[in-house]
Amino acid sequence: MRSETNFSLKAFNSFAVDAIAPTIYFPETIDHLKTLSRELDSGSYYLLGEGSNTLFYEAYTPCIVKPNFRGIEITETPDGFKVVVGSAENWHHLVISLIDKNILGLENLALIPGTVGAAPVQNIGAYGKELADYCQSVEWVSLTTGEKKVLSNEQCQFSYRHSVFKTPGFKQGVITRVSFFFPKAWHARTNYGDLKSLSPASSAKAILEKVIEVRNSKLPDPACLPNAGSFFKNPIVDVSVVKELRAIYSNLPTFEVDEKRVKLAAGWLIEHAGLKGFVRGNVGVHKNQALVLVNHNNGRGDEIISLAKHIQQTVVNKFGIKLEPEVRLIGAQGEQVIDDIELTQTC
Ligand SMILES: Cc1cc2nc3c(=O)[nH]c(=O)nc-3n(C[C@H](O)[C@H](O)[C@H](O)COP(=O)(O)OP(=O)(O)OC[C@H]3O[C@@H](n4cnc5c(N)ncnc54)[C@H](O)[C@@H]3O)c2cc1C
């Protein structure tokens, strides 16, 4: 198996922060993973896809395991297409190549950066669709025991930006392949945000083009302005909280989750806390998208953590709502929650 030591991860994360991996492994077979399960101590490594939902906030990281499972296999059935994809394949390339073959469904999820293997982890979603809508099963190998499992859609426990792969039992394992099923009976979904301007009879190609156009016009390209997309999750709160907030902020945007819970727009909260476009040192809040934190000038990961803590505090002070990061925060000892990260340098 290929591996490297003292490896700079600057080109391997979309915030473009520098951090050194003592060792990085590139497993590409189940046997490689079994070897790693014997060699690595539990919890002493981080699994990396393309690093577009990851922030390295210290000079060093733990060992990095970067799976390199490749391939796209398509099988036609009378009513649809089964597609099995290696976890290292790029998500957007998959979307484009399927739509080119007239296999429809993922058009709303175009241009989401990252790998196919990371997509089930937070159940990626955009414009009214999410991975869970088409994921049939996920092949996963434990890095503790070397055991392989195939989890059904139900066993993956998908919900908003969440799945079983974020829980302790499954965090220490590698997603090797993801299986999808796309029914031939396809329906356009255009009832979300900017897609509402499209006709409900639009083709998948028209939706794809619109999603690409809107995302390119709204979101900063990490290749030009390093970022990890939405830094915080949209908070889900009790309806009673919304009633209180609405009494003060009548234009507060809300999205119903169920009878008792409502999703708020984290970007709106940050913007109305006065932080849109806020710059501190080398890093800041994007001038058009308050939910996106950006690395303007070769900033460090701890500068971004410091900014995120400042945003959290400002939003709590103004609205009484605590924002939780969507981005995974990785220090030398592994993943941490933001409240446990103590910053040693003045940022
Ligand atoms: C500009 C921009 C826009 C974005 N827009 C969206 C959006 O609209 N919707 C959305 O949901 N997300 C969005 N994101 C976030 C990001 O694209 C997704 O979270 C994506 O799935 C991350 O893929 P990655 O390979 O880069 O993951 P990484 O950042 O490398 O890893 C993310 C998590 O997945 C785990 N992981 C990675 N590979 C594997 C594997 N093979 N097996 C097990 N665990 C693994 C990692 O350990 C980590 O916990 C955006 C990001 C950017 C930069």
Side-chain angles (χ1 to χ4, degrees):
M1 170 184 12
R2 200 180 129 221
S3 67
E4 309 253 356
T5 52
N6 285 326
F7 188 89
S8 167
L9 295 166
K10 194 169 166 61
F12 279 45
N13 69 96
S14 63
F15 266 126
V17 296
D18 204 3
I20 303 292
T23 312
I24 182 166
Y25 299 94
F26 299 93
E28 46 192 85
T29 64
I30 304 268
D31 279 345
H32 287 163
L33 296 179
K34 287 190 173 152
T35 306
L36 281 177
S37 73
R38 289 189 292 271
E39 285 180 5
L40 293 172
D41 291 333
S42 165
S44 64
Y45 49 85
Y46 178 67
L47 295 169
L48 185 65
E50 292 180 11
S52 62
N53 204 31
T54 296
L55 174 61
F56 299 119
Y57 66 85
E58 289 185 316
Y60 283 87
T61 69
C63 286
I64 297 288
V65 176
K66 186 163 169 44
N68 195 22
F69 289 76
R70 297 279 169 184
I72 302 179
E73 291 162 33
I74 300 173
T75 315
E76 187 169 359
T77 69
D79 54 352
F81 297 90
K82 182 173 175 159
V83 181
V84 182
V85 190
S87 59
E89 296 293 339
N90 176 271
W91 175 264
H92 180 65
H93 291 171
L94 173 70
V95 174
I96 297 291
S97 80
L98 291 181
I99 291 172
D100 274 352
K101 293 181 177 68
N102 212 26
I103 299 174
L104 313 178
L106 297 183
E107 53 286 341
N108 297 46
L109 301 177
L111 223 56
I112 298 181
T115 54
V116 169
V121 176
Q122 72 153 2
N123 182 25
I124 57 168
Y127 297 104
K129 281 199 180 183
E130 55 185 21
L131 171 111
D133 297 336
Y134 296 97
C135 177
Q136 206 173 37
S137 64
V138 173
E139 182 186 272
W140 173 92
V141 177
S142 164
L143 274 184
T144 316
T145 63
E147 180 196 10
K148 183 174 110 177
K149 284 189 178 170
V150 177
L151 285 88
S152 67
N153 179 301
E154 200 178 17
Q155 288 169 321
C156 291
Q157 295 172 27
F158 292 123
S159 60
Y160 169 67
R161 298 295 188 268
H162 192 72
S163 74
V164 76
F165 305 107
K166 282 188 170 183
T167 64
F170 284 88
K171 235 174 162 176
Q172 305 303 340
V174 174
I175 292 171
T176 47
R177 284 183 185 82
V178 183
S179 299
F180 300 86
F181 185 76
F182 300 99
K184 286 181 183 168
W186 171 85
H187 303 285
R189 197 167 302 163
T190 57
N191 58 347
Y192 197 96
D194 295 297
L195 301 191
K196 283 183 185 160
S197 63
L198 291 174
S199 146
S202 297
S203 68
K205 273 225 160 110
I207 297 174
L208 175 82
E209 279 162 17
K210 183 73 181 174
V211 169
I212 292 176
E213 179 200 314
V214 171
R215 291 186 71 107
N216 276 335
S217 69
K218 285 197 164 173
L219 289 171
D221 178 356
C224 307
L225 184 54
N227 73 87
S230 307
F231 192 89
F232 296 100
K233 289 187 265 199
N234 288 323
I236 294 177
V237 299
D238 198 273
V239 281
S240 60
V241 174
V242 170
K243 271 189 196 144
E244 283 171 28
L245 284 173
R246 271 264 162 78
I248 312 168
Y249 309 100
S250 54
N251 57 345
L252 179 79
T254 57
F255 309 89
E256 188 185 310
V257 175
D258 54 38
E259 277 175 14
K260 292 188 177 148
R261 296 174 312 151
V262 170
K263 200 194 285 174
L264 302 178
W268 189 95
L269 298 173
I270 298 169
E271 181 176 348
H272 288 81
L275 291 172
K276 192 166 161 181
F278 176 76
V279 176
R280 185 197 260 181
N282 299 308
V283 302
V285 179
H286 190 256
K287 62 181 181 357
N288 300 327
Q289 287 296 329
L291 196 45
V292 178
L293 307 194
V294 293
N295 190 354
H296 284 293
N297 189 24
N298 243 345
R300 296 184 313 269
D302 61 341
E303 291 180 83
I304 297 167
I305 297 280
S306 170
L307 173 66
K309 282 178 179 270
H310 174 69
I311 293 169
Q312 269 188 325
Q313 195 53 56
T314 311
V315 170
V316 166
N317 293 348
K318 174 116 182 155
F319 300 104
I321 305 272
K322 177 140 186 232
L323 298 178
E324 295 297 341
E326 173 183 316
V327 172
R328 315 296 287 259
L329 311 176
I330 311 302
Q333 303 304 319
E335 182 163 15
Q336 293 290 335
V337 291
I338 192 163
D339 293 345
D340 293 344
I341 299 175
E342 284 177 22
L343 298 171
T344 45
Q345 305 194 38
T346 320
C347 299

